[in-house]
């Protein structure tokens, strides 16, 4: 029992460098803490009328002992003197604080006793507790007014002693624990270093046999000496300190260049760390393998970047599975569109072929290439070919950012996806009967009656020619369905009305216009409709003109914004007609950010181009808060060719 108590109370004779440095720092701080007692006690003495100068003299005298000990004694021995002085100062506070609050001054003893645990020495606690006990016993008999502000009995002293007895073991346990686990850290470090060496050996074994690549980069981008075997398998071996982008350069030169540029921003520290990490390449292609790169910042104690952990994972198989699953989903979506509107879907295929010819032709001007990919992106998205739409968006982004024609790495995926799509389409639909005229039973019966009744040949010719024409009601219903799909993708509730008036158009000659017209619908849903709204798509003939009209009930065109953007781009902007022309100019968009739905300012320019090509003109009516109306006005004789021309 006694030996166990000694082991708790008495520290080892050896004073480590860590303990010595800790005690020197604590004693220095506590000495300053003691000095602050002089003005505080003088104030207490003044407030309690117990002698200001007396407080100054006694407090100063009490500090002589610790000052001498601090300068002359070993830190551990000096700490015992500091413990004694601490409780003497507590006694002085009780003495100078005589009056109504004197009994409350005793709390300071318990505060001080707890603070002594910072010395990490149980004997400091014992000295402090013993000093309290002796102080109370002596002054209770010699100068009771210095202890209590009333005629207290000896039992009061014993109650105070009981509280000290209860606090002292707890403070001793804290002090001893502090010594064993913090001050005695050197011993702990030695014991744990051996354990860490064993764990490091196990970690090396794990890193060399796992399928992932692990390494860290210093602030210069240099690789660490410790890395998993997979890193060398993918990128080859290199000395520690070699920049990571040099490892990438041989097998993935573009990723290496991208990584080096992004690392310069990270090293500069001018931009937020999260933003810099987002700029680093998320994956690299090493031959047929796709390697995902994940980055975790390792921060220093002050919160600054110290190193960067890089985790490399082979996701080739996972990417292939995801791509196959996505393609299967897209095939199902395409099949559903075919069931819903076979003619409309095949028209999309024909228009897609025309656009693919432009995209694949190396002689296509860059601006036309951008329009083609923008149009193909929009129609592909509507018909469920999201993968194709995403690759078109990437090509379009490249053109906008660089102004140059993209290389085959961006164009080839579009061609491959389209080729695979055409193959799937041939298996699902069959294209040998695409030129067949589909005739409704009632139309067949009406034509037969006309023949039997001797209807004039010209009238019969017009009727039969109409079999190859498309009613605008059918076309507008198709556009309305597409508008609702766009709205659903944007999370909006749009009520779409059509007013076709049963007019007839030649589908082949109008297909390019309708493909471009979808850009106006996309903009109307995105810009012209807020959370919910109404859209009207109409066709009509007036006099000798054919009109296609699109109306929304949204906030209207922001003509002020259009004027500002036109002025910035050097486009005429003085008259209403100038602003309308600017609205359809290449690259002008009032949207602040680019999305896969709108924001490039390309689609409306393509729509204007095809409208003018057909001999039409565009009218725009829009006032703030009253919606927007777009009218596309064409000569009526462009609706369909004469029967003689269709028979050729």
């Amino acid at each position: 029992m006694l030996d166990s108590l000694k082991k708790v109370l008495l520290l080892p004779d050896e004073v480590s460098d860590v303990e010595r440095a800790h005690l020197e720092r604590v004693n220095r701080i506590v000495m300053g803490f003691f000095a602050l007692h002089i003005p505080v006690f003088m104030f207490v003495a003044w407030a309690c009328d117990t002698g200001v100068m007396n407080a100054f003299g006694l407090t100063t005298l009490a500090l002589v002992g610790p000052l001498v000990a601090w300068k002359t004694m070993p830190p551990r021995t000096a700490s015992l003197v500091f413990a004694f002085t601490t409780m003497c100062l507590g006694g002085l506070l009780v003495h100078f604080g005589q009056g109504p609050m004197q009994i409350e001054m005793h709390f300071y003893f318990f505060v001080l006793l707890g603070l002594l645990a910072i010395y990490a020495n149980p004997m400091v606690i014992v000295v402090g507790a013993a000093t309290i006990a002796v102080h109370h016993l002596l002054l209770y008999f010699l100068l009771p007014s210095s202890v209590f502000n009333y005629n207290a009995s000896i039992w009061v002293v014993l109650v105070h002693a009981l509280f000290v007895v209860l606090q002292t073991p707890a403070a001793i346990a804290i002090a001893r624990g502090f010594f064993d686990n913090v001050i005695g850290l050197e011993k702990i470090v030695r014991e744990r270093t051996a354990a860490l060496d064993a764990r490091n050996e196990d970690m090396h074994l794990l890193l060399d046999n796992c399928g992932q690549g692990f390494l860290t980069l210093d602030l210069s981008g240099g690789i660490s000496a410790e890395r998993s075997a997979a890193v060398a398998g993918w990128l080859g071996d290199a000395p520690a300190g070699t920049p990571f982008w040099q490892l990438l350069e041989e097998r993935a030169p573009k990723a290496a260049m991208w990584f080096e540029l992004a690392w310069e921003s990270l090293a500069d520290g001018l931009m937020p760390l999260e933003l810099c990490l987002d700029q680093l390449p998320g994956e690299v292609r090493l031959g047929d393998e796709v390697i995902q790169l994940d980055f975790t910042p390792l921060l220093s104690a002050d919160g600054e970047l110290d190193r960067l952990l890089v985790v490399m994972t082979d996701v080739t198989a996972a990417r292939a599975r995801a791509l196959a699953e996505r393609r299967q989903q897209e095939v199902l979506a395409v099949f559903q569109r075919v069931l819903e509107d076979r003619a409309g879907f095949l028209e999309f295929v024909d228009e897609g072929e025309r656009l693919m010819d432009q995209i694949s032709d190396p002689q296509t001007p860059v601006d036309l290439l951008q329009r083609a990919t923008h149009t193909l992106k929009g129609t592909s998205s509507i018909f469920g070919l999201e993968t194709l739409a995403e690759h078109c968006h990437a090509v379009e982004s490249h053109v906008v950012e660089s102004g140059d024609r993209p290389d085959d790495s961006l164009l080839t995926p579009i061609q491959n996806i389209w080729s695979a799509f055409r193959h799937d389409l041939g298996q699902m639909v069959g294209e040998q009967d695409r030129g067949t005229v589909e005739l409704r039973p009632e139309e067949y019966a009406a034509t037969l009656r006309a023949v039997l009744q001797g209807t004039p040949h010209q009238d019969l010719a017009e009727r039969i020619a109409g079999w190859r024409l498309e009613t605008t009601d059918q076309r507008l219903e198709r556009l309305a369905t597409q508008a609702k799909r766009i709205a659903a993708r944007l999370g909006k509730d749009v009520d779409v009305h059509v007013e076709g008036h049963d007019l007839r158009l030649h589908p082949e000659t109008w297909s390019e216009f309708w493909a471009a017209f979808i850009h106006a619908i996309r903009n109307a849903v995105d810009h012209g409709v807020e959370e919910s709204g109404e859209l009207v798509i109409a066709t009509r003939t007036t006099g000798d003109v054919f009109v296609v009209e699109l109306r929304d009930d949204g906030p209207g065109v922001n003509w002020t914004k259009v004027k500002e953007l036109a002025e910035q781009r050097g486009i005429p902007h003085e008259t209403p007609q100038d602003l309308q022309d600017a609205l359809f100019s290449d690259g002008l968009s009032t949207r602040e950010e680019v999305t896969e739905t709108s924001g490039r300012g390309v689609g409306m320019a393509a729509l204007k181009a095809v409208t003018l090509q057909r001999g039409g003109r565009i009218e725009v009516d829009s006032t703030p808060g009253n919606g927007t109306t777009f009218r596309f006005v064409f000569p009526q004789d462009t609706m369909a060719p004469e029967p003689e021309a269709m028979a050729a």
Side-chain angles (χ1 to χ4, degrees), residues 206-222:
L206 174 64
L207 289 176
D208 289 342
N209 290 277
C210 72
Q212 287 182 296
F214 296 91
L215 71 158
T216 59
L217 309 181
D218 58 27
L219 293 182
S220 65

Side-chain angles (χ1 to χ4, degrees), residues 347 350 468 505-512:
E347 181 182 298
D350 290 339
R468 296 294 303 272
L505 302 175
H506 192 257
E508 285 83 4
T509 58
W510 281 88
S511 62
E512 188 175 355

Side-chain angles (χ1 to χ4, degrees), residues 263-333:
W263 191 267
E264 289 178 1
S265 299
L266 187 148
D268 289 341
L270 300 178
M271 294 192 299
L273 177 60
E274 294 77 9
L275 180 60
C276 294
L277 294 180
D278 286 341
Q279 292 179 335
L280 295 173
E283 65 180 36
V284 294
R285 183 172 290 276
L286 306 176
D288 295 331
E289 295 177 305
V290 179
I291 308 299
Q292 177 178 299
L293 302 179
D294 295 300
F295 306 100
T296 301
L298 306 177
L299 305 180
S300 62
D302 57 0
E304 297 296 326
L305 178 66
D306 182 47
R307 288 175 297 162
L308 189 68
L309 171 65
V310 183
V311 180
M312 305 175 64
T313 307
D314 187 345
V315 294
T316 308
R319 290 281 190 276
R321 285 194 302 271
L323 184 61
E325 292 173 0
R326 189 172 186 186
R327 183 178 175 186
Q328 185 178 26
Q329 292 172 353
E330 291 184 353
V331 169
L332 292 175

